[in-house]
Short mmCIF file of all heavy atoms in Angstrom, two decimals:
data_model
loop_
_atom_site.label_atom_id
_atom_site.label_comp_id
_atom_site.label_asym_id
_atom_site.label_seq_id
_atom_site.Cartn_x
_atom_site.Cartn_y
_atom_site.Cartn_z
N THR A 191 92.28 147.55 73.56
CA THR A 191 91.51 148.69 73.06
C THR A 191 90.01 148.41 73.00
O THR A 191 89.22 149.12 73.61
CB THR A 191 92.00 149.08 71.65
OG1 THR A 191 93.39 149.41 71.71
CG2 THR A 191 91.22 150.28 71.12
N TYR A 209 96.58 142.95 71.75
CA TYR A 209 95.64 143.64 70.87
C TYR A 209 95.14 142.67 69.81
O TYR A 209 95.89 141.80 69.34
CB TYR A 209 96.32 144.83 70.17
CG TYR A 209 96.81 145.90 71.10
CD1 TYR A 209 98.07 145.81 71.70
CD2 TYR A 209 96.02 147.02 71.38
CE1 TYR A 209 98.53 146.80 72.55
CE2 TYR A 209 96.49 148.01 72.23
CZ TYR A 209 97.73 147.90 72.82
OH TYR A 209 98.18 148.89 73.66
N CYS A 210 93.89 142.85 69.42
CA CYS A 210 93.42 142.13 68.25
C CYS A 210 94.11 142.73 67.02
O CYS A 210 94.68 143.82 67.09
CB CYS A 210 91.89 142.23 68.13
SG CYS A 210 91.25 143.89 67.78
N VAL A 211 94.04 142.05 65.90
CA VAL A 211 94.75 142.49 64.69
C VAL A 211 94.27 143.86 64.24
O VAL A 211 95.07 144.76 63.91
CB VAL A 211 94.59 141.46 63.57
CG1 VAL A 211 95.18 142.00 62.26
CG2 VAL A 211 95.24 140.15 63.95
N ASP A 212 92.97 144.07 64.24
CA ASP A 212 92.42 145.33 63.73
C ASP A 212 92.85 146.51 64.59
O ASP A 212 93.25 147.56 64.07
CB ASP A 212 90.90 145.26 63.68
CG ASP A 212 90.39 144.30 62.62
OD1 ASP A 212 91.17 144.02 61.68
OD2 ASP A 212 89.24 143.83 62.73
N CYS A 213 92.76 146.37 65.94
CA CYS A 213 93.15 147.47 66.83
C CYS A 213 94.64 147.72 66.79
O CYS A 213 95.09 148.87 66.89
CB CYS A 213 92.69 147.18 68.26
SG CYS A 213 90.90 147.28 68.49
N TYR A 214 95.42 146.65 66.62
CA TYR A 214 96.87 146.84 66.54
C TYR A 214 97.22 147.65 65.29
O TYR A 214 98.05 148.57 65.35
CB TYR A 214 97.58 145.49 66.51
CG TYR A 214 99.08 145.62 66.51
CD1 TYR A 214 99.79 145.93 67.65
CD2 TYR A 214 99.80 145.45 65.31
CE1 TYR A 214 101.17 146.07 67.65
CE2 TYR A 214 101.18 145.59 65.29
CZ TYR A 214 101.86 145.90 66.46
OH TYR A 214 103.22 146.04 66.43
N LYS A 215 96.57 147.30 64.18
CA LYS A 215 96.84 148.03 62.94
C LYS A 215 96.46 149.50 63.07
O LYS A 215 97.19 150.40 62.65
CB LYS A 215 96.03 147.43 61.79
CG LYS A 215 96.53 146.08 61.30
CD LYS A 215 95.62 145.59 60.17
CE LYS A 215 96.11 144.27 59.61
NZ LYS A 215 95.21 143.77 58.53
N THR A 216 95.31 149.76 63.70
CA THR A 216 94.78 151.12 63.76
C THR A 216 95.48 151.99 64.79
O THR A 216 95.80 153.15 64.54
CB THR A 216 93.27 151.06 64.09
OG1 THR A 216 92.60 150.26 63.13
CG2 THR A 216 92.66 152.46 64.11
N ASP A 217 95.73 151.40 66.00
CA ASP A 217 96.14 152.23 67.12
C ASP A 217 97.60 152.10 67.53
O ASP A 217 98.14 152.99 68.19
CB ASP A 217 95.28 151.92 68.35
CG ASP A 217 93.80 152.12 68.07
OD1 ASP A 217 93.47 153.01 67.27
OD2 ASP A 217 92.98 151.38 68.66
N VAL A 218 98.25 151.01 67.17
CA VAL A 218 99.57 150.74 67.73
C VAL A 218 100.66 150.66 66.66
O VAL A 218 101.74 151.23 66.82
CB VAL A 218 99.55 149.43 68.56
CG1 VAL A 218 100.93 149.16 69.15
CG2 VAL A 218 98.50 149.51 69.66
N ALA A 219 100.39 149.95 65.60
CA ALA A 219 101.44 149.63 64.62
C ALA A 219 102.03 150.89 63.98
O ALA A 219 101.32 151.87 63.72
CB ALA A 219 100.87 148.71 63.55
N LYS A 220 103.35 150.83 63.76
CA LYS A 220 104.00 151.89 62.99
C LYS A 220 103.51 151.85 61.55
O LYS A 220 103.13 150.79 61.04
CB LYS A 220 105.52 151.71 63.01
CG LYS A 220 106.15 151.87 64.39
CD LYS A 220 107.66 151.66 64.31
CE LYS A 220 108.31 151.87 65.66
NZ LYS A 220 109.79 151.66 65.60
N LYS A 221 103.54 153.01 60.90
CA LYS A 221 103.13 153.08 59.49
C LYS A 221 104.39 153.03 58.62
O LYS A 221 105.39 153.69 58.89
CB LYS A 221 102.36 154.38 59.21
CG LYS A 221 101.10 154.54 60.06
CD LYS A 221 100.11 153.40 59.84
CE LYS A 221 98.80 153.64 60.54
NZ LYS A 221 98.89 153.52 62.01
N PRO A 228 99.96 149.99 57.91
CA PRO A 228 100.54 149.55 59.18
C PRO A 228 101.55 148.42 58.98
O PRO A 228 101.37 147.56 58.12
CB PRO A 228 99.32 149.05 59.98
CG PRO A 228 98.14 149.64 59.31
CD PRO A 228 98.49 149.79 57.87
N THR A 230 102.46 145.35 60.66
CA THR A 230 101.86 144.52 61.71
C THR A 230 102.67 143.28 62.05
O THR A 230 102.53 142.71 63.12
CB THR A 230 100.47 144.06 61.28
OG1 THR A 230 100.59 143.24 60.11
CG2 THR A 230 99.59 145.27 60.97
#
Side-chain angles (χ1 to χ4, degrees):
T191 301
Y209 298 86
C210 66
V211 173
D212 291 338
C213 289
Y214 183 77
K215 287 179 178 179
T216 304
D217 302 328
V218 180
K220 294 180 178 180
K221 301 301 187 289
T230 63

